[in-house]
Amino acid sequence: MSTTVITLNKGRGAHLARLLEGLGRGTPPEACIVVEIGGDDAPLPDLPFPVERVQFPRDGLPLAAARNAGRRAARTDTLVFLDVDCIPSRGLVADLSRAVAEHDALICCEIGYLPAGAVTDGWNEAELDRLGHPHPVRTFPAPGRVAPAPQPGLFWSLAFAVRAATYDRIGGFDESFSGYGAEDTDLAFRADAAGVPILFLGGPRAYHQHHASYDPPLQHFRDIVANAARFHARHGFWPMDGWLDGFARLGLIAPDRSNGIAVYRDPTPSEMAAARLPDTRPF
């Protein structure tokens, strides 16, 4: 099966360059689509596979719509979605493509979260593998094996593969989810309802390059609130409940969500600063 890698970029040129370098070190895909949110056109390095840049001049971080734009540009029967922060291991694309050929599913690989300063020019995959922290609540099977995700909510869009026809049958990402939050969980639950399993593939990893992060993610406060309400209306329960509880503890929303989310105010700059995680935290 022929494979296209799809990634989204908004101001992460150095991270994008390392993602592309990682693709070039392994079995290269037939193509790579880079959806440029905001219109970056900085030169890319010479690569052993074609790269198409799709300009997507939108405000904010319209993840669902941008991923669908990447899918529309793809011409292969297998799609591998990689977050721009991810450096693929040498066998990642080939192993995900092989798994998708064998299983009609959404297939996720393991992520190794890197601390700040772990990636430099001339990076070494063995060193990334040593430094990458696994996610604490996602357990992957032995190399080369697949296992069902314990529940669809553990699907993640950081690095996953799917047949293009299956992506289209599910309907892709729902673009009514605006900005950041719950669009990938919604995709997973719709896939599950359509009989498309969520599988974890053991073995290949993607290494997540460090960037500033917040707990709770106050920089996406309004998106998360709106998307949580949209998800609840469709699926009947609250996604991202840990983040919503964090917002409630700060007094940004009402703690009782039985009649929806009541927003009191936006986060203050001092609250944003306090929520920023230290660079030593990999997640």
Side-chain angles (χ1 to χ4, degrees), residues 2-280:
S2 56
T3 301
T4 296
V5 171
I6 298 169
T7 191
L8 316 180
N9 179 42
K10 184 174 184 178
R12 295 266 173 86
H15 285 199
L16 173 63
R18 292 176 187 131
L19 181 154
L20 296 172
E21 182 181 356
L23 291 176
R25 292 188 186 189
T27 303
E30 277 66 31
C32 179
I33 307 295
V34 180
V35 181
E36 297 283 7
I37 303 173
D40 192 350
D41 59 357
L44 298 177
D46 291 333
L47 296 160
F49 52 88
V51 177
E52 178 183 350
R53 301 176 94 162
V54 175
Q55 299 300 325
F56 200 74
R58 301 277 188 92
D59 293 331
L61 199 61
L63 297 177
R67 291 194 189 107
N68 287 344
R71 187 277 168 268
R72 288 193 296 272
R75 300 292 179 264
T76 58
D77 48 20
T78 301
L79 310 174
V80 172
F81 287 83
L82 277 181
D83 188 287
V84 72
D85 298 319
C86 288
I87 299 174
S89 60
R90 193 177 297 273
L92 178 69
V93 171
D95 287 353
L96 280 173
S97 299
R98 192 159 40 245
V100 165
E102 296 171 358
H103 306 277
D104 187 9
L106 299 180
I107 302 181
C108 300
C109 72
E110 186 175 357
I111 306 297
Y113 288 88
L114 300 170
V119 186
T120 58
D121 292 341
W123 54 269
N124 178 281
E125 184 175 317
E127 183 69 1
L128 300 188
D129 201 58
R130 183 183 71 82
L131 294 172
H133 293 259
H135 195 277
V137 301
R138 289 174 171 87
T139 302
F140 283 76
R145 300 181 66 86
V146 297
Q151 52 105 344
L154 290 179
F155 168 79
W156 55 17
S157 53
L158 279 172
F160 77 97
V162 62
R163 297 176 187 178
T166 301
Y167 185 91
D168 295 342
R169 175 161 61 89
I170 298 168
F173 287 89
D174 183 347
E175 297 184 20
S176 69
F177 286 82
S178 176
Y180 178 94
E183 81 293 334
D184 48 359
T185 310
D186 171 74
L187 175 73
F189 275 91
R190 285 190 289 111
D192 184 63
V196 178
I198 315 300
L199 301 180
F200 286 173
L201 172 65
R205 301 175 86 190
Y207 304 101
H208 186 272
Q209 302 173 76
H210 184 271
H211 59 77
S213 56
Y214 299 81
D215 185 20
L218 298 180
Q219 77 276 31
H220 300 298
F221 171 68
R222 286 287 175 172
D223 285 349
I224 288 171
V225 167
N227 287 341
R230 186 169 291 109
F231 185 99
H232 185 273
R234 172 175 290 168
H235 299 285
F237 64 95
W238 293 105
M240 308 178 288
D241 53 339
W243 293 346
L244 294 175
D245 290 342
F247 295 162
R249 285 193 295 271
L250 290 171
L252 306 180
I253 64 174
D256 181 7
R257 297 191 288 273
S258 57
N259 293 311
I261 300 177
V263 177
Y264 294 151
R265 60 179 178 83
D266 288 316
T268 65
S270 61
E271 288 168 333
M272 289 283 294
R276 190 187 189 281
L277 293 173
D279 286 348
T280 52

